[in-house]
Amino acid sequence: QVQLVESGGGLVQPGGSLTLSCSASGNIFNRIVVGWFRQAPGKERELLASITNDGTTDYANSVKGRFTISRDNAKNTVYLQMNSLKPEDTAVYHCYSPILAVESWGKGTLVTVSL
């Protein structure tokens, strides 16, 4: 069973950068679409980016040009490079795959953008 685990969150100043990682167990990881979403307190879940097994990417307008999703299938890892961070980017960031059960999604990593 594939289990996704996020890491890399933390406190960063506005304008700064952070890279999140989503690692997975299981041998199907390099064949599935993986994405990131975030959820801030009191706000709805927001899909951010996704990447197919062959590297095709898609982004939400809110992060296009600032965030970059990539993957290293040899390491069973998907990354989210976040640049020019804003206070409104503060949220818990989760990785997921639409073909996996919710129970296999990551529990999230907190990103706080503040002075």
Side-chain angles (χ1 to χ4, degrees):
Q1 180 178 349
V2 178
Q3 183 64 51
L4 305 180
V5 179
E6 305 91 344
S7 61
L11 174 64
V12 61
Q13 293 186 353
S17 298
L18 209 57
T19 298
L20 306 182
S21 299
C22 172
S23 299
S25 58
N27 58 8
I28 70 167
F29 181 79
N30 61 1
R31 301 199 299 271
I32 63 175
V33 174
V34 178
W36 289 90
F37 69 90
R38 66 188 178 191
Q39 189 149 25
K43 294 186 178 181
E44 293 187 357
R45 181 181 297 176
E46 180 184 13
L47 299 180
L48 301 175
S50 64
I51 186 167
T52 65
N53 61 328
D54 65 356
T56 300
T57 59
D58 190 28
Y59 296 93
N61 287 335
S62 60
V63 303
K64 196 173 294 184
R66 296 193 299 126
F67 291 9
T68 301
I69 190 170
S70 61
R71 67 191 301 161
D72 185 337
N73 287 335
K75 296 182 178 179
N76 273 10
T77 301
V78 169
Y79 304 97
L80 187 68
Q81 171 70 42
M82 306 185 294
N83 299 325
S84 303
L85 284 164
K86 308 173 184 179
E88 51 263 44
D89 293 318
T90 295
V92 177
Y93 285 68
H94 301 259
C95 63
Y96 77 103
S97 177
I99 72 163
L100 297 178
V102 172
E103 291 75 18
S104 295
W105 297 3
K107 298 193 183 318
T109 186
L110 176 63
V111 173
T112 303
V113 184
S114 179
L115 293 172

